[in-house]
Amino acid sequence: MGQQEKVSTSLAGAVSEGISASLAPVDAELERRYPGDPGTRQPVHTVYVPGDAFNEGTIRSWGDQALAQLDEHAPDAASFAAVLGLADELAEPVYNRVRAKLEREPVEDLRVDFEDGYRPASSADEDETAARAARLIAEAYANGTAAPHMGIRTKCMEAPVRDRGIRTLDIFLTGLMEHGGLPDGLVLTLPKVTYPEQVTAMVRLLEAFEKQHGLDAGRLGFEIQIETSQSILAADGTAAVARMIDAAEGRATGLHYGTFDYSACLGVSAAYQASDHPAADYAKAVMQVAAAGTGVRVSDGSTNVLPVGSTAKVHDAWRLHYGLTRRALARAYYQGWDMHPGHIPTRYAAVFAFYREGFEAAAARLAAYAKQTAGDIADEPATAKALAGYLLRGLDCGALDVAEVARLTGLTLAGLEGYAGPRRGDLTTTGE
């Protein structure tokens, strides 16, 4: 083995202890601000439905409408693949999984909208609609027909609508408590945030509700919707969105980009308002950097080009939506907003193709890393974490199956989670 080396040091242990003591506040701050991804399942999309249009059959109706669109405009795998440009080897697996998803779980995340998409006849009408939404969501979770995530988008914290938004949220949350309590999949969305103080106001509101009902502190979290230029760049030149995450005091769960309000705020002409506009790319890049490591997830926006009308028009809209979704996935925006039942076939097609295209390569790289064997790419621990996270996301949405991932990686689900980091909350996957 050769000569054993003599190991010598020059510094007393007190030096290391002193450095550790001096950095203790930084250590604590890093742990507080950057706890890492929560490790729970992230929905691939959010569907929003106006409050007055939401009913007990909404989720199943969206799935049925999406299946009817496939039947009419792409009745088999070959025709669907031809529209989207899917490779031959992906045509059947993607199409079959899309149809199965639409039958089993057509919507992963639903927001009952009390903001832009809702026009109540009166204040009393909104009161009743909010109470009805609470009852219907509670019943859906009780009878097993709910989406994995459901909740509401209230009006914002700006003065003209603030009281109305607070009242609607109060009615909705109180209704849930009266119908069995807050469901695990509950999500709240605060739109049109311009100042961190508005986020703080939401925190105080939720604190008051928790205290009133004896709930654990921090039980209620919320998404921040980024729809104004001020939420990206504050008047002093700082990134306001980073300050908003801090102002949420650990309650922020997501940053959702609002394509059209944000674009209009910057003066982008209506014809060019889209999630791939350079202004949108800049905003989402700032959001992404601000949220990295905080446990707050970033969601892309939506397209307002609806797949309706003739088959040619539907195909054009499908291609647009598919392309925007694939573009977002490549940029690590794993969630987006869908506005129409016809969007969800291409949402799932894009998501499933994204994970199935890269599945074998990712599995091989992770298997090589786990076995410490040499390959043509030298991966590091951070890359192994990303590879495992990629496979787990594919399992969560149904793009991949547990058996095929285990076969190619040689890892159990627990082994994957070990590389990706601890998964808190829902540890289940939709892959069989």
Side-chain angles (χ1 to χ4, degrees):
M1 293 293 292
Q3 180 177 335
Q4 185 174 1
E5 295 292 339
K6 177 184 178 182
V7 178
S8 303
T9 62
S10 301
L11 300 176
V15 174
S16 178
E17 292 170 3
I19 289 174
S20 292
S22 70
L23 289 176
V26 172
D27 295 339
E29 184 74 349
L30 282 170
E31 186 174 355
R32 182 184 75 83
R33 287 182 181 272
Y34 303 103
D37 188 86
T40 51
R41 175 183 175 185
Q42 181 180 9
V44 302
H45 71 166
T46 300
V47 162
Y48 69 91
V49 178
D52 52 350
F54 175 67
N55 59 53
E56 62 272 10
T58 293
I59 293 175
R60 187 60 265 154
S61 174
W62 273 60
D64 291 343
Q65 290 179 69
L67 285 166
Q69 270 217 333
L70 284 177
D71 290 340
E72 181 176 359
H73 302 293
D76 53 48
S79 57
F80 195 50
V83 174
L84 303 182
L86 292 174
D88 290 344
E89 64 271 17
L90 286 176
E92 289 285 348
V94 167
Y95 188 76
N96 292 340
R97 285 173 186 269
V98 168
R99 292 197 70 98
K101 181 76 168 180
L102 295 176
E103 291 167 356
R104 181 186 72 250
E105 188 183 73
V107 174
E108 291 197 358
D109 184 26
L110 184 143
R111 211 69 71 249
V112 183
D113 190 22
F114 288 88
E115 202 229 355
D116 284 349
Y118 176 59
R119 296 289 183 270
S122 65
S123 182
D125 185 44
E126 182 160 345
D127 285 354
E128 184 177 352
T129 304
R132 183 170 63 92
R135 175 179 59 81
L136 291 175
I137 287 176
E139 290 174 354
Y141 277 105
N143 64 29
T145 60
H149 302 274
M150 298 183 76
I152 66 169
R153 179 171 72 168
T154 61
K155 293 175 175 60
C156 67
M157 284 290 181
E158 292 179 354
V161 295
R162 181 185 304 138
D163 289 345
R164 180 64 260 182
I166 291 172
R167 180 173 174 83
T168 296
L169 182 60
D170 186 11
I171 292 170
F172 176 73
L173 292 176
T174 301
L176 288 177
M177 295 299 295
E178 291 175 346
H179 289 91
L182 305 180
D184 290 339
L186 176 65
V187 188
L188 308 174
T189 304
L190 179 65
K192 293 183 176 60
V193 181
T194 52
Y195 282 82
E197 289 81 0
Q198 294 168 330
V199 175
T200 300
M202 183 68 161
V203 171
R204 300 286 89 84
L205 178 62
L206 298 181
E207 282 179 342
F209 188 88
E210 290 167 349
K211 184 177 180 180
Q212 181 68 29
H213 289 273
L215 299 170
D216 292 340
R219 169 64 181 86
L220 288 164
F222 60 98
E223 302 164 336
I224 302 169
Q225 200 159 10
I226 303 301
E227 300 177 274
T228 67
S229 60
Q230 296 94 334
S231 59
I232 295 297
L233 192 67
D236 62 1
T238 60
V241 65
R243 292 163 55 198
M244 290 174 184
I245 292 172
D246 193 46
E249 300 176 18
R251 292 178 185 265
T253 59
L255 300 175
H256 284 231
Y257 177 68
T259 304
F260 305 103
D261 281 288
Y262 186 87
S263 299
C265 181
L266 267 62
V268 178
S269 298
Y272 297 97
Q273 293 177 0
S275 61
D276 59 350
H277 190 281
D281 285 341
Y282 173 76
K284 286 179 287 189
V286 174
M287 292 162 58
Q288 189 175 50
V289 173
T294 65
V296 178
R297 288 159 164 171
V298 175
S299 173
D300 198 4
S302 60
T303 176
N304 60 358
V305 179
L306 306 183
V308 296
S310 67
T311 293
K313 288 185 176 180
V314 169
H315 286 181
D316 285 344
W318 273 354
R319 277 188 287 267
L320 174 65
H321 186 246
Y322 178 86
L324 290 173
T325 303
R326 286 300 306 261
R327 184 180 189 272
L329 290 167
R331 286 158 174 76
Y333 308 131
Y334 297 113
Q335 185 175 354
W337 284 65
D338 289 330
M339 299 178 67
H340 187 274
H343 283 144
I344 54 177
T346 40
R347 170 69 61 182
Y348 291 130
V351 170
F352 293 167
F354 175 75
Y355 289 111
R356 295 208 65 82
E357 280 178 0
F359 161 51
E360 292 188 6
R365 287 175 66 178
L366 187 59
Y369 181 87
K371 297 173 184 175
Q372 293 296 296
T373 57
D376 58 356
I377 301 176
D379 286 323
E380 297 183 353
T383 304
K385 181 176 181 178
L387 290 167
Y390 171 86
L391 295 174
L392 285 168
R393 286 180 181 277
L395 287 167
D396 282 342
C397 68
L400 307 176
D401 297 332
V402 172
E404 63 181 347
V405 172
R407 184 177 68 253
L408 292 189
T409 62
L411 298 170
T412 63
L413 187 60
L416 279 177
E417 293 165 358
Y419 283 110
R423 306 193 89 200
R424 298 179 290 280
D426 179 16
L427 301 183
T428 63
T429 63
T430 59
E432 296 296 335

